[in-house]
Amino acid sequence: MIAKSGYEALYPPQEEAIKAGVLHGKNLVLASPTASGKTLVAELAILKSIIEKGGKALYLTPLRALASEKYEDFQKYAEIEKSPGRKIRVAVTSGDYDRADIYLENYDIIISTNEKADSLLRHRSPWIADISVVVADEVHLITEADRGPTLEVVLTRLRKTNPHIQILALSATIKNAAEIAEWLNAIPVTTEWRPVPLREGVYFHDEIQFKDGASRIIPRSDTNPVFDTALDVVRQGGQVLIFAETRRLAVEMGKKASALLRRSLPKQDRRGLESIAQRVLSTGERTRLGDTLAEQILNGVAFHHAGLPSPHRRIIEDSFKTGRLKILSATPTLAAGVNLPARTVIISSYERYEPGYGRYPISVLEYKQFCGRAGRPKYDKFGEAILIARTEDEQDYLLKNYALAEPERIWSKLGAEKVLRPHVLATIATRFATTEEGLVNFFANTFYAFQYDPKMIRSKLGDILSFLHREQMVEFNGEELRATKFGRRVSELYIDPVSAVILRDGLYTRAKNVTEVSFLHLISRTPDISPKLYPRRGEDEMLDLFAKEHENEYMCETPEYYGDANGVTYEEFLAEIKCARVMYEWINETTEDAILETHRVEPGDIMRMVDTSQWLLHATYQLAELFGHKDLLRPTYELQVRCSKGVKAELVPLVELDGVGRVRARSLFNAGYRTLEDLKHCSVTDLMSVPLIGPSLAKRIKEQVGGLIKAEEWESLKSKTAESTEQSLLTDYRKGEGS
Ligand SMILES: Nc1ncnc2c1ncn2[C@@H]1O[C@H](COP(=O)(O)OP(=O)(O)OP(=O)(O)O)[C@@H](O)[C@H]1O
Ligand SMILES: [Mg+2]
C-alpha cells in the first residue's frame, strides 16, 4: 500500500524512528520539521499493533480540522484485513462532549481531538481499555495555556488506565524533546531534516539576506516590501503565504495584493477564479465579508482568518492547494491548522499586541511554525521564509533571534488554578483518585509535576478541593473523597465547575419573567464563553438600553452603572449582554450580515458562539433536570434547538429536516408549510414552487416526512433539473445546512 502511494524509501526521520524500536512497541518522541513524514511512523506502529496484537489505536490531534484531514487520509487503511474477513475500521470523533460513544468499540483507529478524548475518558467509555497505542500529534501544544493541559492530562490518564500502552508523541522541533521523552518513558528522536530545503532570510532595503550568506535582490516598486516580494515570487511561478498580525490586516493586505496582482493575471486563469468566487458567494449566507473575499479571489488572492465561516475557509484552502490562488494573506492561526504549504512565506510582522501588555516579539517556536509552511513537496525545489526589517539593525536582530535561533523549551501550563480545576473534579468523579493523597499522586505523574517541584501541586490542589467541597461537587467520607451526583454530572458535561455554579445558582434564582434572554444572559456569564465580546466604541448605549429593557429577566444579580455585583463590574456585565444580544439576534433570524454590521461579530465567531452556547444550554437543561426544575426543561430544550439553527420557535419543526437550514425553513413557512404534516400532504411540484427549494431538496424533504411521490412526476422533474441547481444544493449540503 505504501509503495502504491508512490513512496520509494523511508525518509531519514522515519528510518531513525524505526531503528529506535517503534515497531517493537517502544514509546517515542519524534521532533522533526513540518512535512518530514512523522505521520507514517505513527501509521506503521498503529498497523503493527492492530494487525499483530489485535489492539486499538487512538490518534489525538489539537483541532477538528486536523482530525478530519487525518480521517480522510487514513481511509486508505480501511481496505486492509486485520484478520480474515474483517477489515480495519477508521472513525473520527469530535464535538458533543456529553457521550460515551460506545459504538467506537467496533473501530480500530479512532481519531479524536484532545478535548473529545478527555470527555470520553470522563465518561469511562469501556473500549478505552482496549487502546494499545496512542499518538499525540503536535505534542508541542502542551505549552499552550488554554489547551495544552488537557493533552497532558489525557496522556497521564491513559498511561494510568492502560499501563502497557505504546505512546508516540509527534512534535515540531523543540528544545526539550528529550525532557518530554523522559516524562513519557520514551526514546527521543530529533531531526532537522526536510523534504524541501528551507531558506530563511530577512528583507531590508530591496534585498533579502539569507542565513546561509546568500542574498536576493527584489525589484522595488512604490509599495510595501511585502508585496514587492510576493509579486516577485508569483512572477517566477511560486505561491505566497503572507502572515498578517490581525484579521483586519489580513483582509487589507489581501486587498492590496489583489489590486497589484490584477494587472499581471493571465486571462486563462480568470474563468477558474470566477467559479471559485461564485462558490464563495453561493455558500452560506451572503455577507460583506464574503463579498470582499470573492472580490479578491477574482484576482487570484484571498484572505484567511477565523472570522470566515468554515465552508469559506475550506474553499480557499482547496483552491490554494490546487494552485489557482497565488497569494494568501492569513492570520497566524493558519500555521497551526491544516497542511497548506507555499513556496514563500512572508512574515509581515514579528510582533504581537496584547491589551494591557503592549507589543512583544513572537516566540521562535511560532516563527518556526510559519517556516513550516514554506516549500511544497513535489512542486518547489526549495521553500523560503522571509521576515521584514525596517532598519539594518533590525535585520541583524531578526537574523540572530529568529533565523539562527533555536526554538524555546516548552513548559507545562497545568499550574493555573482555572485549568487545573476541571481536571481535579474529573479525576475524582471518574474515581481515578479516591483520597486526597491519591489525587496528589495522580497529578504527580503529569508533565507539570515532572518539570516543576511536585510539592507545588499539593497546595494548589488543596485550594481547588475546598472550592469543590464548598460548592457541593465533592464530599469527604473520612479519608475517602467522592464526587457528588452534581459533581459527576459537571465533570461529564465538560463544563468549568465555575460555570456549573453560575448555572445552578441561576436556575434557583428565577427571574420575575423567564424568557430566552434569561438563559442567554446566564450562559454568557460563564467562563466557558471566552473570550468575552467587549462592546465596541459607541455600542455601549445600545447594549445599555437592551439591558434595561430586559431588567426583569436576569437569573442573577446584576451590577448598577457604578459598582459591581458579586465581583462583576458594569463593563463586564455589558460584555455578557453583548454575547446574549448577539445570540438573541441569531435565534430571531437576524442575518449574519446584519450582526456583522451592528456588532462587528464575524460569521466564524457566530458559529463558534453557537457551538458553545448550544453546549451550555444542554448543560443548563441537564442541571435543571438534576435539581428538579421541571418547568425549565422545555424552554431550555427549545432554546437549544433554536440556537443550533438560528431560528424563531415557529420554525423549529421545519429545521429538524435534513437539508433545511434557517433560510429555506423561513421560505417554506412563508409559503404556508408550517408543520411536517403540511409537508406530508403536498406534492413535490408544490414544494418546488417555493423559492430556494429545488427538485432534489424537494424530494429529500418528501422522503423524510413521508407521503407519496408519483414515479412519473419524479421522472419528469428529474429531467428538468438544471445542473446548476444541483451544484448549489451540493454546496449547501457540504456546508451542513440543517444536517
Ligand atoms: N517516505 C516517504 N516518501 C515520500 N513521501 C512521503 C514519505 N513519507 C511521508 N511522505 C509524504 O510527506 C508528506 C508530509 O508528511 P506528514 O504529514 O507525515 O508530515 P509531518 O511530519 O507530520 O508534518 P507536520 O509537522 O506538518 O504535521 C505527506 O504528504 C506524505 O504523504
Ligand atoms: Mg503531522
Side-chain angles (χ1 to χ4, degrees):
M1 270 200 61
I2 291 169
K4 230 174 27 193
S5 334
Y7 297 13
E8 282 157 11
L10 289 178
Y11 283 162
Q14 296 166 341
E15 197 177 322
E16 253 189 79
I18 301 232
K19 283 188 180 149
V22 173
L23 298 183
H24 293 110
K26 287 273 170 37
N27 293 342
L28 174 81
V29 173
L30 177 55
S32 188
T34 301
S36 60
K38 297 185 284 291
T39 323
L40 183 69
V41 175
E43 290 164 44
L44 292 173
I46 288 172
L47 292 174
K48 178 100 177 164
S49 182
I50 293 176
I51 297 170
E52 292 183 9
K53 293 195 234 143
K56 201 190 250 328
L58 179 65
Y59 195 106
L60 300 172
T61 76
L63 300 170
R64 281 186 203 188
L66 290 172
S68 338
E69 194 181 50
K70 287 287 176 270
Y71 174 66
E72 275 162 36
D73 196 26
F74 287 3
Q75 279 309 320
K76 59 189 176 206
Y77 294 123
E79 63 182 65
I80 295 185
E81 285 194 350
K82 75 165 197 173
S83 55
R86 164 71 160 79
K87 290 190 171 164
I88 288 181
R89 295 184 187 142
V90 188
V92 64
T93 174
S94 64
D96 202 345
Y97 298 137
D98 191 18
R99 307 170 50 133
D101 288 347
I102 307 287
Y103 75 96
L104 289 172
E105 70 189 1
N106 298 318
Y107 290 82
D108 308 295
I109 306 179
I110 296 161
I111 303 158
S112 166
T113 56
N114 300 323
E115 285 72 20
K116 176 69 185 187
D118 187 20
S119 76
L120 290 167
L121 279 159
R122 292 184 188 194
H123 281 274
R124 297 206 271 177
S125 306
W127 50 265
I128 286 184
D130 303 332
I131 298 173
S132 52
V133 49
V134 57
V135 181
D137 204 354
E138 318 283 343
V139 82
H140 49 270
L141 175 89
I142 281 186
T143 203
E144 232 173 70
D146 42 344
R147 313 213 11 252
T150 302
L151 174 56
E152 185 178 335
V153 168
V154 165
L155 289 176
T156 308
R157 269 205 197 120
L158 278 171
R159 288 176 80 192
K160 195 160 162 118
T161 45
N162 304 14
H164 299 296
I165 200 166
Q166 181 184 15
I167 302 183
L168 304 176
L170 313 180
S171 163
T173 25
I174 45 174
K175 198 168 181 176
N176 54 336
E179 190 183 13
I180 299 178
E182 207 183 325
W183 169 54
L184 292 173
N185 189 19
I187 299 173
V189 170
T190 301
T191 85
E192 287 295 340
W193 185 86
R194 291 173 183 274
V196 185
L198 172 70
R199 306 176 70 196
E200 292 163 81
V202 181
Y203 173 102
F204 172 65
H205 209 273
D206 306 351
E207 192 172 0
I208 301 171
Q209 182 69 58
F210 290 99
K211 81 172 184 191
D212 60 9
S215 66
R216 181 148 72 86
I217 303 283
I218 299 293
R220 171 141 49 152
S221 59
D222 54 359
T223 61
N224 182 325
V226 169
F227 305 118
D228 288 341
T229 312
L231 289 180
D232 189 56
V233 176
V234 174
R235 262 181 235 119
Q236 294 175 30
Q239 283 175 291
V240 182
L241 254 176
I242 301 173
F243 281 107
E245 204 181 322
T246 60
R247 290 185 191 180
R248 190 179 56 78
L249 283 170
V251 177
E252 274 174 20
M253 289 183 148
K255 224 177 240 172
K256 188 79 206 250
S258 148
L260 292 167
L261 195 60
R262 184 194 182 92
R263 296 175 210 146
S264 50
L265 196 70
K267 248 211 188 90
Q268 65 270 24
D269 285 6
R270 283 200 194 278
R271 273 192 58 143
L273 291 169
E274 268 164 28
S275 94
I276 301 168
Q278 200 50 50
R279 250 167 73 212
V280 164
L281 293 178
S282 61
T283 303
E285 284 181 38
R286 187 96 184 244
T287 64
R288 61 204 67 203
L289 191 70
D291 287 358
T292 310
L293 180 64
E295 262 166 53
Q296 296 187 13
I297 291 174
L298 289 177
N299 298 321
V301 178
F303 62 89
H304 186 290
H305 64 57
L308 285 173
S310 53
H312 285 180
R313 271 178 274 156
R314 217 64 356 101
I315 294 173
I316 295 163
E317 288 157 12
D318 293 346
S319 317
F320 195 72
K321 275 186 195 158
T322 57
R324 286 258 170 83
L325 294 174
K326 303 297 175 204
I327 300 178
L328 196 55
S329 165
T331 48
T333 45
L334 184 79
V338 294
N339 188 23
L340 202 65
R343 179 184 302 172
T344 301
V345 168
I346 304 175
I347 300 147
S348 67
S349 164
Y350 65 95
E351 288 181 326
R352 296 285 175 269
Y353 174 78
E354 209 170 293
Y357 190 78
R359 294 185 74 74
Y360 63 93
I362 60 171
S363 66
V364 180
L365 199 66
E366 187 174 351
Y367 164 77
K368 292 279 176 200
Q369 285 216 328
F370 296 147
C371 293
R373 293 283 174 250
R376 294 184 69 186
K378 296 191 204 115
Y379 296 95
D380 298 323
K381 279 202 278 306
F382 60 89
E384 293 181 316
I386 317 285
L387 283 155
I388 307 285
R390 285 155 296 193
T391 62
E392 206 167 347
D393 274 356
E394 197 175 45
Q395 186 177 35
D396 291 343
Y397 168 85
L398 293 176
L399 273 170
K400 177 158 164 276
N401 290 288
Y402 291 105
L404 295 163
E406 255 191 83
E408 298 81 5
R409 288 180 69 177
I410 66 164
W411 291 97
S412 166
K413 300 289 157 65
L414 187 61
E417 191 167 324
K418 181 183 174 341
V419 294
L420 192 54
R421 205 186 294 125
H423 293 300
V424 171
L425 177 60
T427 308
I428 301 167
T430 46
R431 313 279 298 153
F432 271 110
T434 51
T435 59
E436 190 166 347
E437 228 20 64
L439 196 64
V440 173
N441 288 339
F442 174 81
F443 283 96
N445 293 315
T446 59
F447 188 51
Y448 180 82
F450 185 83
Q451 269 194 322
Y452 299 89
D453 184 352
K455 279 196 213 93
M456 281 173 64
I457 217 147
R458 189 179 282 270
S459 74
K460 286 182 207 271
L461 291 177
D463 292 346
I464 292 171
L465 270 184
S466 40
F467 166 83
L468 295 174
H469 185 244
R470 195 168 62 240
E471 297 297 348
Q472 299 173 345
M473 284 183 236
V474 302
E475 57 196 10
F476 288 92
N477 185 4
E479 287 279 287
E480 200 199 343
L481 189 54
R482 273 183 165 283
T484 59
K485 223 170 169 182
F486 175 43
R488 275 203 306 278
R489 208 58 198 103
V490 172
S491 160
E492 289 172 347
L493 287 169
Y494 211 72
I495 56 176
D496 188 321
V498 174
S499 302
V501 171
I502 292 173
L503 296 179
R504 177 197 61 191
D505 294 350
L507 292 175
Y508 277 107
T509 308
R510 292 301 173 93
K512 277 199 195 114
N513 186 12
V514 177
T515 64
E516 52 207 31
V517 174
S518 314
F519 295 107
L520 292 178
H521 170 256
L522 188 64
I523 61 169
S524 300
R525 166 156 283 213
T526 65
D528 279 307
I529 297 257
S530 152
K532 297 273 187 256
L533 298 174
Y534 281 92
R536 293 181 305 123
R537 210 176 304 148
E539 209 183 4
D540 284 30
E541 221 167 289
M542 168 172 60
L543 292 171
D544 196 43
L545 201 68
F546 183 85
K548 296 248 155 53
E549 271 169 26
H550 296 275
E551 66 187 352
N552 289 328
E553 298 167 38
Y554 304 119
M555 299 176 105
C556 59
E557 241 185 283
T558 55
E560 293 297 324
Y561 196 82
Y562 300 101
D564 61 295
N566 297 322
V568 176
T569 63
Y570 197 75
E571 196 196 354
E572 286 162 337
F573 172 61
L574 280 192
E576 296 165 10
I577 289 294
K578 177 159 181 176
C579 294
R581 168 85 190 254
V582 168
M583 288 314 297
Y584 176 81
E585 289 184 10
W586 167 252
I587 62 170
N588 285 299
E589 296 174 46
T590 306
T591 62
E592 289 176 23
D593 192 55
I595 295 177
L596 175 60
E597 159 91 0
T598 345
H599 304 289
R600 290 279 174 275
V601 176
E602 299 185 306
D605 301 308
I606 300 178
M607 291 311 131
R608 270 183 296 280
M609 280 179 69
V610 164
D611 259 12
T612 319
S613 305
Q614 215 186 313
W615 161 48
L616 286 164
L617 287 167
H618 168 76
T620 312
Y621 176 96
Q622 295 292 325
L623 294 180
E625 191 167 45
L626 183 71
F627 290 109
H629 304 292
K630 286 212 179 77
D631 56 324
L632 299 181
L633 296 180
R634 228 193 106 77
T636 40
Y637 178 74
E638 189 185 88
L639 197 55
Q640 205 188 319
V641 178
R642 290 182 58 195
C643 184
S644 70
K645 311 288 177 161
V647 292
K648 292 184 186 159
E650 62 199 25
L651 293 191
V652 166
L654 298 178
V655 287
E656 306 230 356
L657 288 169
D658 239 0
V660 179
R662 64 179 192 158
V663 179
R664 289 194 169 83
R666 180 48 65 197
S667 186
L668 284 168
F669 190 90
N670 291 346
Y673 303 103
R674 317 214 149 164
T675 62
L676 298 187
E677 209 43 40
D678 294 343
L679 291 169
K680 200 166 164 178
H681 296 301
C682 70
S683 72
V684 177
T685 323
D686 293 340
L687 274 184
M688 279 172 55
S689 64
V690 177
L692 302 173
I693 310 286
S696 38
L697 182 58
K699 179 171 176 251
R700 239 166 101 207
I701 292 175
K702 285 304 278 182
E703 281 165 354
Q704 295 175 70
V705 295
L708 294 172
I709 307 175
K710 293 197 197 81
E712 62 273 30
E713 184 187 9
W714 176 242
E715 283 307 320
S716 82
L717 289 171
K718 227 172 33 181
S719 55
K720 282 187 222 145
T721 308
E723 203 192 23
S724 61
T725 338
E726 290 291 340
Q727 198 72 39
S728 75
L729 287 170
L730 193 72
T731 46
D732 278 350
Y733 183 69
R734 272 192 52 174
K735 113 185 175 231
E737 258 237 312
S739 65

